[in-house]
């Protein structure tokens, strides 16, 4: 069963109504940012990033957060999945981890035919076992799954124990800290060991300068993403 937009009780204010209308009408576009092999800059896949269409003036990140707070996060995820169906099969779609607690939504992901998803906002999960089971089901169906924004926080570590992932996307703050000093280097090394232990390939994110690129290469990271390697372009 595909997930359909259901406006939660109490969402009757004008801002809430506008959120629901924006999602239902898909007043957004998807921009693609490549994830490349650092050895030769050849793309492995691209991440689909939501961009609101004019006349919207709100930053896309703020819109996504507001949708989640209004109880519309899963509806937004379903709308993005529908939009991504027309894109290349090498595109990864961001999904709020909490959405995978819904059996209907897991079916929506499978029906969308996407090759890869990235789980974001893992701190909002209330049923870790359900999300772990959904990840296993998706991977068994051939969907690659990445855990986004890993920085050593409790929520990410708990999900890494609950489910198996194809990729671990290291938060940009981890690479920045590794450049800054020894403690940051130790954190990066620990997260890379964890990724190896759980069988996930690490991806360095927010690579914007040559020192950040060199730090990722010195650490043995093979995949990277950031403006230095490729800016987002509209799909």
């Amino acid at each position: 069963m595909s997930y359909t937009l259901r406006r939660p009780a109490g969402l009757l204010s004008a801002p809430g109504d506008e959120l629901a209308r924006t999602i239902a009408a898909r007043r957004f576009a998807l921009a693609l940012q490549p994830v490349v092999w650092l050895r030769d800059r050849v793309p492995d896949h691209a991440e689909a990033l939501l961009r609101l269409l004019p006349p919207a003036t709100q930053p896309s990140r703020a819109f996504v957060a507001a949708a989640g707070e209004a109880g519309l996060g899963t509806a937004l995820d379903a709308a993005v999945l529908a939009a991504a169906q027309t894109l290349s099969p090498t595109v990864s779609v961001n999904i709020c981890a909490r959405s995978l607690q819904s059996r209907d939504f897991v079916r929506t992901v499978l029906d969308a035919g996407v090759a890869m998803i990235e789980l974001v906002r893992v701190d909002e999960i209330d049923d870790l076992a359900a999300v772990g089971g959904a990840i296993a089901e998706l991977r068994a169906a051939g969907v690659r799954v990445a855990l986004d924004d890993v920085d050593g926080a409790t929520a990410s570590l708990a999900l890494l124990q609950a489910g198996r992932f194809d990729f671990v996307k290291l938060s940009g703050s981890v690479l920045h800290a590794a450049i800054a000093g020894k403690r940051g280097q130790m954190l990066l090394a620990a997260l890379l060991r964890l990724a190896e232990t759980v069988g996930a390939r690490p991806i360095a994110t927010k690579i914007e300068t040559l020192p950040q690129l060199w730090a990722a290469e010195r650490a043995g990271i093979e995949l990277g993403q950031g403006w230095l390697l490729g800016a987002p372009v509209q799909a």
Side-chain angles (χ1 to χ4, degrees):
M1 180 184 297
S2 296
Y3 189 91
T4 56
L5 177 62
R6 296 181 179 87
R7 185 174 305 177
L11 188 60
L12 301 176
S13 65
D17 282 350
E18 184 58 30
L19 284 170
R21 284 193 293 268
T22 297
I23 295 169
R26 296 189 200 168
R27 295 204 295 266
F28 59 82
L30 297 178
L32 304 182
Q33 185 174 31
V35 174
V36 307
W37 293 93
L38 297 183
R39 63 175 178 265
D40 53 17
R41 308 299 190 267
V42 172
D44 179 77
H45 60 275
E47 178 185 0
L49 303 170
L50 183 145
R51 296 290 184 264
L52 294 177
L53 296 176
T57 58
Q58 183 181 29
S60 298
R61 184 180 294 272
F63 173 81
V64 172
E69 292 171 2
L72 294 168
T74 303
L76 177 58
D77 287 342
V80 172
L81 278 171
Q85 286 181 295
T86 62
L87 303 179
S88 162
T90 59
V91 169
S92 174
V93 181
N94 287 318
I95 296 296
C96 181
R98 186 175 182 179
S99 293
L100 292 185
Q101 295 177 178
S102 163
R103 290 292 308 144
D104 285 352
F105 185 78
V106 174
R107 176 49 53 188
T108 296
V109 177
L110 293 172
D111 289 345
V114 295
M116 181 174 170
I117 62 171
E118 296 182 21
L119 299 189
V120 300
R121 299 170 65 182
V122 299
D123 56 327
E124 297 178 5
I125 295 173
D126 355 73
D127 190 340
L128 198 59
V131 175
I135 294 168
E137 181 177 350
L138 292 170
R139 294 185 76 240
V143 180
R144 297 197 294 179
V145 183
L147 180 56
D148 194 28
D149 206 26
V150 175
D151 59 3
T154 302
S156 292
L157 297 181
L159 190 51
L160 279 172
Q161 295 181 58
R164 293 192 61 186
F165 291 87
D166 297 280
F167 299 98
V168 167
K169 299 190 74 173
L170 302 175
S171 169
S173 63
V174 174
L175 199 58
H176 298 173
I179 295 172
K182 187 66 175 178
R183 294 184 66 180
Q185 294 166 14
M186 292 173 63
L187 173 61
L188 174 59
L191 291 176
L192 292 177
R193 287 195 299 271
L194 176 60
E196 182 179 10
T197 299
V198 300
R201 189 182 294 276
I203 299 173
T205 67
K206 296 186 179 178
I207 297 178
E208 299 170 352
T209 66
L210 284 174
Q212 292 165 2
L213 173 62
W214 297 332
E217 292 175 328
R218 283 196 304 270
I221 300 173
E222 296 181 308
L223 289 166
Q225 180 182 20
W227 281 74
L228 184 67
L229 303 172
V233 294
Q234 186 165 330

